[in-house]
Amino acid sequence: MAGQVLVLNASYEPINVCSLQRAVVLVLKDKAEVIEQAARRLRSATSSHALPLVIRLVYYVKVPRNRSRRVSRRALFARDGFRCQYCGSRHDLTVDHVLPRSRGGESTWENTLTCCSGCNLRKADRTPDEAGMTPERTQRAPGPAVFITAAAGGRPPSWERYLSTI
Ligand SMILES: [Zn+2]
């Protein structure tokens, strides 16, 4: 997460994360402005620059709406708060297919959830109903904030007010 910068569209909508180096280049080329910066500054021999935490693109970038994003472990775990959806454990996390793959269950956002290996083993080739195991909530595709959090590997406080709007 250190060295990751949140990128906002010209409309202030968070769109992705980039490296600190890339953010500095965008700002120096006047393609973005610094919205939030660290208390310390980035110093070189001849100058000092703001150390960006959040930048905003000067020009609006068209981001496709409702683009379907593939299920990844990182984003799935982030969606589920890094907790097993059956017992709440935060250890040995893996991906469970609600309807097992062996029975035609697909790797979609609606059919996968975060599960500890113990629960995964116990559930085996059964549906939650058959196994008598109820997941915490219904599964659905997460919003953009989850993908940004997963890509960055965390969610620093300086990003919170921007991510909470999406
Ligand atoms: Zn579990």
Side-chain angles (χ1 to χ4, degrees):
M1 191 164 71
Q4 303 259 37
V5 177
L6 179 64
V7 182
L8 306 180
N9 213 337
S11 60
Y12 286 87
E13 180 189 6
I15 43 177
N16 57 25
V17 287
C18 74
S19 68
L20 180 59
Q21 289 85 338
R22 171 138 180 85
V24 169
V25 168
L26 286 172
V27 171
L28 289 177
K29 287 185 169 172
D30 291 326
K31 290 185 173 169
E33 60 171 352
V34 178
I35 295 291
E36 302 273 348
Q37 60 188 57
R40 66 195 176 93
R41 291 177 72 82
L42 200 63
R43 288 180 203 286
S44 70
T46 51
S47 58
S48 90
H49 299 287
L51 192 62
L53 300 172
V54 180
I55 59 170
R56 172 179 168 257
L57 298 176
V58 173
Y59 299 102
Y60 185 79
V61 175
K62 219 172 154 79
V63 183
R65 292 269 156 204
N66 301 324
R67 57 184 155 171
S68 73
R69 307 211 210 196
R70 279 183 52 236
V71 178
S72 72
R73 288 171 72 93
R74 275 173 86 164
L76 187 71
F77 292 175
R79 180 196 71 178
D80 294 341
F82 298 90
R83 292 170 65 242
C84 171
Q85 294 301 290
Y86 296 113
C87 75
S89 168
R90 294 180 176 276
H91 303 286
D92 292 328
L93 295 179
T94 181
V95 176
D96 175 53
H97 287 73
V98 178
L99 176 68
R101 261 188 301 194
S102 60
R103 292 164 60 174
E106 290 179 53
S107 295
T108 58
W109 288 108
E110 292 75 19
N111 194 49
T112 49
L113 48 79
T114 306
C115 176
C116 73
S117 50
C119 287
N120 198 238
L121 211 62
R122 194 152 65 85
K123 180 170 172 281
D125 274 352
R126 297 178 292 178
T127 65
D129 263 358
E130 292 165 357
M133 298 163 72
T134 314
E136 275 185 12
R137 49 193 147 106
T138 9
Q139 318 309 319
R140 59 172 72 99
V146 162
F147 291 99
I148 289 171
T149 307
R155 198 166 156 151
S158 59
W159 297 5
E160 202 53 50
R161 52 187 284 226
Y162 304 99
L163 290 181
S164 60
T165 61
I166 51 170

